[in-house]
């Protein structure tokens, strides 16, 4: 596979959460540290996508990219990441939203390595309708820019227009690796899962399976 740039999507306002999600701690690390730590072994280089120039990452050794304009939502972070990937000569981005702390390195490796038959430009989890964890080729950049210029903001709607390789990420121990932290209660659930030692694929559990649909 072409070399990818890891991109942590961390530009959200955390309105429902009530505080900066990026700094919330799970199993001894902040959500931002966990996301960077999951991506780095897969891509080698990771940047954090933030909403504005005023947004610091709090991780001095990790670069950042800034949304091209305010109000674009997570797609703005993906677009900024794709631009940086092209500048670095990489084939695309492997993105992970900062509030998906149960996604593991093994699952990200499977998403990165998913085949791209019949012109597939992306790979995303098959279940959970979660486009903020996946691989996007640099060929998507112009299409995404056009989508945003036309007023589109929904990541799910954008991905619905792409040919996508879908990767099955199996549930394990009663939890989904796509548990999204929108509220403090969700954070407590993630802490509970990790404190019980329920591990993801690559650590004794079932391995992801690749589909193309």
């Amino acid at each position: 596979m072409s070399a990818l740039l890891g991109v942590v999507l961390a530009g959200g306002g955390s309105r429902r959460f009530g505080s900066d999600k990026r700094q919330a701690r799970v199993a001894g690390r902040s959500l931002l540290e966990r996301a960077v730590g999951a991506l780095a072994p897969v891509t080698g280089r990771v940047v954090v996508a933030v909403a504005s120039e005023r947004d610091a990452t709090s991780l001095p050794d990790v670069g950042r990219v800034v949304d091209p304009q305010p109000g674009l939502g997570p797609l703005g972070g993906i677009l900024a990441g794709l631009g940086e990937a092209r500048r670095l000569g990489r084939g695309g981005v492997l993105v992970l939203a900062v509030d998906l702390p149960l996604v593991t390195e093994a699952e990200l490796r499977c998403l990165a390595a998913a085949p791209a038959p019949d012109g597939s430009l992306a790979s995303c989890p098959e279940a959970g309708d979660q486009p903020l964890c996946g691989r996007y080729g640099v060929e998507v950049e112009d299409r995404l820019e056009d989508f945003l210029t036309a007023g589109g903001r929904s990541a799910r709607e954008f991905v619905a227009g792409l040919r996508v390789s879908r990767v099955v990420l199996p549930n394990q121990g009663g939890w989904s690796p796509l548990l999204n932290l929108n509220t403090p209660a969700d954070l407590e659930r993630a802490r509970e899962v990790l404190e019980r030692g329920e591990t993801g694929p690559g650590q004794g559990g079932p391995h992801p399976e690749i589909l193309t649909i």
Side-chain angles (χ1 to χ4, degrees), residues 175-187:
W175 57 264
S176 166
L178 299 175
L179 174 65
N180 181 234
L181 306 192
N182 289 314
T183 68
D186 296 331
L187 177 64

Side-chain angles (χ1 to χ4, degrees), residues 113-151:
D118 301 325
S120 173
L121 299 176
S123 62
C124 295
E126 185 273 335
D129 196 17
Q130 181 49 269
L132 305 185
C133 172
R135 183 199 75 230
Y136 296 89
V138 290
E139 301 88 351
V140 168
E141 184 180 10
D142 289 343
R143 191 179 301 190
L144 177 53
E145 191 166 17
D146 290 344
F147 179 81
L148 290 168
T149 299

Side-chain angles (χ1 to χ4, degrees), residues 4-119:
L4 300 171
L5 175 66
V7 179
V8 179
L9 301 175
S14 302
R15 284 179 292 276
R16 281 186 288 171
F17 196 75
S19 61
D20 186 352
K21 282 185 190 180
R22 296 171 295 186
Q23 305 311 318
R25 300 186 74 78
V26 175
R29 290 190 294 168
S30 71
L31 294 186
L32 183 58
E33 289 169 331
R34 291 188 68 85
V36 170
L39 283 167
V42 184
T43 63
R45 186 162 182 171
V46 180
V47 296
V48 178
V50 297
S52 77
E53 292 284 355
R54 297 187 302 275
D55 246 338
T57 67
S58 78
L59 298 178
D61 298 328
V62 178
R64 67 171 188 166
V65 292
V66 180
D67 291 1
Q69 67 183 64
L72 298 180
L75 288 179
I78 295 176
L79 182 60
L82 285 167
E84 182 70 358
R86 189 180 293 278
R87 186 184 73 79
L88 295 172
R90 300 208 172 197
V93 295
L94 185 63
V95 305
L96 177 62
V98 74
D99 56 3
L100 294 173
L102 303 187
V103 175
T104 68
E105 174 191 337
E107 291 154 342
L108 290 170
R109 285 193 184 280
C110 198
L111 287 164
D118 301 325

Side-chain angles (χ1 to χ4, degrees), residues 102 104-107 168-170 172 175 177 199-208:
L102 303 187
T104 68
E105 174 191 337
E107 291 154 342
V168 177
L169 305 180
Q172 194 163 313
W175 57 264
T199 57
Q203 301 180 46
H207 290 276

